Amino acid sequence: MHQPSMETPTDDDRRQVGAFLQSRSAEDFLALYERHTPALYRFAGRLAGGPGVEADDVVQETWVRAISRLHRFGWRCRLGTWLFAIALNVRRELLRRAGRDRAIAAELDALAPRATPEIDTQRRLHRALVGLADGYREVIVLHDIEGYTHQEIARHFGIREGTSKSQLARGRRALRRALEDGGGGSDAG
Amino acid sequence: MPDEQDDLTVAHREVLRSWGRDWQPPESLRERTVRAVTDEGRPGAIAPRRARRFGAFAWAAAVAAVAFVVGVGIGQRQVRPVPPQAQRYMLLLFESDEYRVPRDEEELRQRESEYVAWARRLADGGRFVDGEELSQAGWRYGLDSGRLTRLPPADDPMVGVLAGYFVVGAASEDDAVALLEDCPHLAYGGTVEVRMIESH
């Protein structure tokens, strides 16, 4: 869709991972970190509804887990996809621990309506994204923003293909409704 | 098929894809992540190299210990009563994200000794025990229009990867399952699938 297959590992990744597993040095870790954290941070931020403490925590914990499991990574997908899958699970665990309702409420609170008479499409859409239920937003981020197919979402992120398709349709419907309503109301899922 | 009315316009999709495009991780995140993945603040002291060999060592050690015990038992002792083992069962060991990998050398040794002790207890009790670690870089293959073709992996992310197996002798499935009550693999967050080996 937007990128080459998410399942084709790159030579650079293989080389950097090999170097890190050989040396276990901070320098080699930082090479991996610098290469993958920008995209990982954007992904974590999109899942969280914006950059901030939650995205920071997700990224840090993702690397902690990834480093402990890197020797077992079987290269069935790109390293970035594997990191995204870990990040998705990390965030789900954080939400479970923190309380789902509190997380959604915090996201909505962060986007109190502005006093301006007109809100442009971009801000309305972004606000609507934040107000989406987590399940819808996860699939919208994975499919429409990151470019994974439903088959890849099922394979790497633990969301069945049928569920992915229906969540995507419902998420898009909720966004469209929010745009037509002129606000960013939430949609339970 | 999604309802066309629910779909988003091209302009909306472009806006969607632009969401968060300019977000940058803070510099402080870099430092705290390095600290988090480093043991005791020493760069490079992340999980020791031998941790990646944990699985192989543990399985090999467990199997070697079993072979030693069984061999000694047959060679030097009186024949001990062997529990009825009408069937062989394969214990498939899976490791998902829930599995707690040993964090350092000390925990690695402790983990190894627990797997070995478990296998040894089975052998001491006269059970048939065998096992191997499996490489996790494998693929599935099938025929596609008559051509041998590599297929997507079968593992479910929620179940995890197949990390190894044991084969044990047992009287029944319940007997085989009962062996798992003190299996260290479960204690560390792994799961075990029990399958009878069909005899023909």
Side-chain angles (χ1 to χ4, degrees), chain B:
Chain B
M1 294 282 284
D3 185 346
E4 292 252 347
Q5 297 285 342
D6 306 326
D7 214 348
L8 300 170
T9 65
V10 171
H12 289 159
R13 287 174 192 262
E14 190 45 49
V15 169
L16 209 58
R17 282 195 287 271
S18 74
W19 186 44
R21 200 178 277 168
D22 57 350
W23 295 340
Q24 293 293 331
E27 186 59 30
S28 58
L29 179 58
R30 186 174 180 267
E31 293 160 18
R32 66 182 255 204
T33 300
V34 171
R35 273 200 304 277
V37 301
T38 301
D39 189 24
E40 298 175 359
R42 290 182 292 116
I46 309 172
R49 281 188 64 190
R50 259 208 266 176
R52 68 177 157 160
R53 296 289 301 163
F54 163 73
F57 188 91
W59 303 125
V63 172
V66 164
F68 174 76
V69 169
V70 172
V72 168
I74 291 175
Q76 297 184 8
R77 301 183 189 173
Q78 302 292 328
V79 174
R80 288 168 292 153
V82 175
Q85 297 177 64
Q87 303 289 348
R88 298 282 169 91
Y89 287 82
M90 183 168 278
L91 310 180
L92 298 160
L93 279 69
F94 289 91
E95 294 179 6
S96 70
D97 287 347
E98 303 299 317
Y99 184 77
R100 295 187 293 285
V101 178
R103 292 176 54 187
D104 54 31
E105 191 78 23
E106 185 180 341
E107 193 173 333
L108 175 67
R109 293 192 196 289
Q110 174 62 31
R111 192 80 64 90
E112 288 166 358
S113 67
E114 290 174 27
Y115 274 80
V116 169
W118 180 77
R120 184 171 287 155
R121 280 197 298 279
L122 297 184
D124 277 351
R127 285 191 188 270
F128 175 86
V129 181
D130 191 7
E132 295 287 355
E133 185 203 20
L134 297 176
S135 167
Q136 294 178 28
W139 293 89
R140 287 193 312 140
Y141 292 88
L143 289 180
D144 182 1
S145 303
R147 276 195 336 177
L148 188 64
T149 305
R150 180 184 290 179
L151 301 174
D155 53 84
D156 182 337
M158 305 303 286
V159 173
V161 295
L162 180 59
Y165 71 89
F166 282 107
V167 175
V168 296
S172 64
E173 183 169 328
D174 286 346
D175 185 28
V177 170
L179 303 177
L180 301 178
E181 283 180 13
D182 63 345
C183 176
H185 192 71
L186 300 184
Y188 291 109
T191 58
V192 178
E193 185 170 333
V194 179
R195 304 282 283 274
M196 187 181 78
I197 297 174
E198 295 281 3
S199 53
H200 299 280

Side-chain angles (χ1 to χ4, degrees), chain A residues 2 24 33-34 42 45-46 51 57 60 67 69 71-72 76 89 125-126 144 155 172-173 176, chain B residues 5-7 12-13 17 19-20 23-24 30 32 44 46-47 52 95 97 101 136 138 152 155 157:
Chain A
H2 308 298
R24 293 284 182 170
Y33 178 93
E34 298 296 352
R42 286 193 293 272
R46 284 163 176 158
D57 289 347
Q60 178 185 311
I67 290 307
R69 300 168 193 168
H71 62 286
R72 291 189 292 130
R76 290 173 181 150
N89 283 331
L125 191 52
H126 292 172
D144 285 350
R155 183 173 309 140
R172 285 175 174 173
R173 191 180 307 142
R176 193 179 179 94
Chain B
Q5 297 285 342
D6 306 326
D7 214 348
H12 289 159
R13 287 174 192 262
R17 282 195 287 271
W19 186 44
W23 295 340
Q24 293 293 331
R30 186 174 180 267
R32 66 182 255 204
I46 309 172
R52 68 177 157 160
E95 294 179 6
D97 287 347
V101 178
Q136 294 178 28
D155 53 84

Side-chain angles (χ1 to χ4, degrees), chain A residues 52-80:
Chain A
V53 172
E54 185 183 319
D56 292 1
D57 289 347
V58 168
V59 168
Q60 178 185 311
E61 181 60 22
T62 296
W63 278 115
V64 168
R65 295 189 189 188
I67 290 307
S68 73
R69 300 168 193 168
L70 199 51
H71 62 286
R72 291 189 292 130
F73 178 49
W75 294 105
R76 290 173 181 150
C77 61
R78 288 188 165 190
L79 184 64

Side-chain angles (χ1 to χ4, degrees), chain A residues 6-7 77-86 148 156-157:
Chain A
M6 300 300 183
E7 297 180 344
C77 61
R78 288 188 165 190
L79 184 64
T81 298
W82 185 65
L83 291 172
F84 279 15
I86 295 174
Y148 291 97
H156 303 299
F157 297 95

Side-chain angles (χ1 to χ4, degrees), chain A residues 136-148:
Chain A
Y136 296 164
R137 188 167 64 251
E138 281 179 3
V139 179
I140 295 256
V141 168
L142 288 168
H143 186 278
D144 285 350
I145 300 180
E146 299 292 345
Y148 291 97

